[in-house]
Amino acid sequence: MLYYLFRFLDERYNFPGAGVFQYISFRALGAVITSLLVAAIFGRRIIDTLRNLQIGESIRDLGLEGQMQKRGTPTMGGFIILASLLIPALLFAKLSNVYVILALVSTVWTGLIGFIDDYIKVFKKNKEGLEGKFKVVGQIGLGLIVGLTLYFNDYVKIRVYAPRLLSTSTVPDVYTDIKSTLTTVPFIKNNDFDYSSLLFGFLPDSYTWIVYVIVCIFIITAVSNGANITDGIDGLAAGTSVIIGLTLGVLAYLSSNKIISQYLSIMYIPNSGELVIFCAAFVGACVGFLWYNSYPAQVFMGDTGSLMLGGVIAVLALAIRKELMIPLICGIFLVELVSVIMQVSYFKYTKRKYGEGRRIFLMSPLHHHFQKKGYHEAKLVTRFWIIGIMLAVLALATLKLR
């Protein structure tokens, strides 16, 4: 909104300083500061409101150290993240940009799914919350919206440059903006992969949209559930999301900069620069929430926050065509999710084969396994963050390691 206001003031009245709102870097900084201010101003009030409404976490005794001390801690703190993300994004981003619209829709959509889940747990006193099949239906719905929009919307294109005869030539660049399902593959020199190749020549390319939508659904479901599972100890999901958000923000900036993208030989995506502002608001919102959620937590984000974080991260990665880098960027989420799948699958297999279920880990998700081994959760969270930073650096390094 402020972008349009100050552009009007600059064009109509030549208002001093209004032109600075045309710069993505300035608006990104404004988004970070605003998100932190929103969290600081409204965070405590939201926590007090949740406490007054007796919206507290019901804790099952899993035998973890310090676990029962958290009983009654306000949950549904994801509202702090939602407010701190949506307000600066609406203020500083171009609201006509299709990438921003998709990011806003994914934020509200997954936040609503999480809210329904938390509402059933808290007010209906059903510890299971929203049935898993309904969560998956909601995630599939978002995957359909994102996949169909990115495939069919005319605004979503990549730019292909014609090769120059001389690198020092003063002849202007010759390029074409095309519709494509190309995506980036890490560690590969010519690192563009086209989803149409998954048809293996059995179907015409016109069916590529079906493959692409299925990929979008899978990625959104996996990352959203991975973030949800990671949210098990104080500060883990929020801090990990800060690292991921920063990484995606850097990748979005590089992909939207003509000069840098050509220098790095990465895909140039016109108009995707606005996602830098959204990523900045995302990081600020997570940092602001971490103020209250770090050990010992004053509030839990609940599914309202965790499902939303994963869903937004997945959509951002898809929008800048870096979804195949998710195993690196979201490595913590992936490991946590896989640990649960392995534990449940092995337990069922051994119960069927031997008559009693056996376990791979002391407890899943993986962070509970280490808690059972005696690691304090504050130290455990810090070490997970360090691993997340290492994975983020490796993901950025893939821009040159091919």
Side-chain angles (χ1 to χ4, degrees):
M1 296 180 184
L2 291 178
Y3 167 80
Y4 298 104
L5 172 63
F6 281 94
R7 187 178 70 174
F8 171 78
L9 292 175
D10 184 42
E11 294 176 352
R12 181 65 64 89
Y13 302 106
N14 197 25
F15 190 82
V20 75
F21 273 80
Q22 303 298 315
Y23 293 97
I24 288 176
S25 56
F26 178 81
R27 286 186 284 133
L29 290 173
V32 171
I33 294 171
T34 303
S35 61
L36 291 172
L37 288 175
V38 171
I41 295 170
F42 296 105
R44 171 53 57 186
R45 297 180 183 180
I46 292 175
I47 293 172
D48 290 341
T49 300
L50 294 173
R51 184 176 286 111
N52 292 335
L53 293 173
Q54 297 183 338
I55 303 177
E57 184 76 10
S58 58
I59 304 293
R60 289 183 295 178
D61 190 358
L62 301 176
L64 299 172
E65 183 181 354
Q67 178 193 20
M68 300 313 295
Q69 298 173 4
K70 300 181 181 183
R71 187 189 298 273
T73 302
T75 187
M76 297 176 71
F79 282 117
I80 299 174
I81 305 177
L82 283 168
S84 303
L85 171 56
L86 291 174
I87 292 173
L90 290 170
L91 286 175
F92 290 96
K94 291 182 184 178
L95 301 182
S96 60
N97 184 291
V98 67
Y99 298 112
V100 172
I101 293 172
L102 276 179
L104 291 171
V105 168
S106 65
T107 301
V108 176
W109 188 286
T110 49
L112 181 60
I113 296 172
F115 168 73
I116 295 172
D117 187 38
D118 286 335
Y119 181 86
I120 293 173
K121 289 178 181 177
V122 174
F123 293 100
K124 300 298 183 181
K125 306 301 180 183
N126 183 347
K127 293 182 180 180
E128 299 302 321
L130 184 65
E131 289 188 47
K133 61 183 179 182
F134 293 118
K135 286 184 185 179
V136 172
V137 168
Q139 291 160 342
I140 290 174
L142 179 60
L144 286 169
I145 293 171
V146 173
L148 292 173
T149 301
L150 291 177
Y151 188 87
F152 289 106
N153 191 286
D154 291 334
Y155 196 79
V156 178
K157 295 181 179 180
I158 65 171
R159 182 163 295 177
V160 178
Y161 289 91
R164 287 182 172 186
L165 295 177
L166 295 173
S167 59
T168 57
S169 173
T170 58
V171 178
D173 290 323
V174 178
Y175 62 84
T176 306
D177 289 344
I178 62 171
K179 296 289 298 178
S180 173
T181 53
L182 286 175
T183 191
T184 300
V185 182
F187 300 112
I188 304 297
K189 188 169 184 179
N190 297 314
N191 63 334
D192 291 339
F193 171 77
D194 198 328
Y195 286 109
S196 63
S197 62
L198 295 178
L199 297 174
F200 301 107
F202 294 116
L203 294 171
D205 288 350
S206 58
Y207 287 87
T208 303
W209 70 271
I210 298 176
V211 175
Y212 185 69
V213 168
I214 291 172
V215 170
C216 289
I217 290 171
F218 174 78
I219 290 172
I220 289 172
T221 302
V223 179
S224 183
N225 287 325
N228 185 227
I229 289 170
T230 303
D231 180 37
I233 51 180
D234 301 349
L236 180 56
T240 303
S241 296
V242 170
I243 298 166
I244 296 171
L246 282 170
T247 307
L248 289 173
V250 172
L251 291 173
Y253 179 79
L254 298 178
S255 299
S256 65
N257 187 292
K258 183 182 72 172
I259 297 174
I260 298 177
S261 62
Q262 285 186 289
Y263 171 73
L264 293 173
S265 297
I266 62 176
M267 195 181 304
Y268 176 57
I269 309 172
N271 306 309
S272 64
E274 291 298 309
L275 287 179
V276 176
I277 297 159
F278 192 90
C279 289
F282 180 87
V283 170
C286 292
V287 171
F289 178 76
L290 200 56
W291 180 270
Y292 305 103
N293 185 241
S294 57
Y295 181 85
Q298 300 169 264
V299 65
F300 300 137
M301 68 173 66
D303 285 12
T304 305
S306 59
L307 284 173
M308 181 272 293
L309 291 178
V312 169
I313 287 169
V315 172
L316 290 173
L318 285 164
I320 60 173
R321 302 177 188 244
K322 300 295 184 290
E323 65 271 18
L324 297 185
M325 295 175 68
I326 282 178
L328 279 177
I329 300 171
C330 303
I332 299 297
F333 292 169
L334 176 64
V335 169
E336 295 273 43
L337 180 62
V338 170
S339 71
V340 173
I341 295 173
M342 290 173 61
Q343 184 88 323
V344 173
S345 300
Y346 187 71
F347 185 87
K348 290 181 177 179
Y349 168 74
T350 53
K351 187 173 183 178
R352 186 172 60 251
K353 185 172 182 178
Y354 302 109
E356 63 174 2
R358 300 176 184 177
R359 293 174 172 83
I360 301 174
F361 306 103
L362 297 177
M363 183 180 291
S364 65
L366 188 61
H367 58 260
H368 286 328
H369 168 80
F370 289 110
Q371 279 186 286
K372 282 285 190 179
K373 290 177 73 69
Y375 287 87
H376 190 277
E377 65 177 282
K379 178 173 286 189
L380 188 58
V381 167
T382 303
R383 291 181 175 178
F384 269 65
W385 288 353
I386 293 171
I387 294 171
I389 292 170
M390 293 170 61
L391 291 171
V393 172
L394 180 58
L396 294 176
T398 62
L399 298 176
K400 296 298 289 184
L401 294 175
R402 303 180 201 162

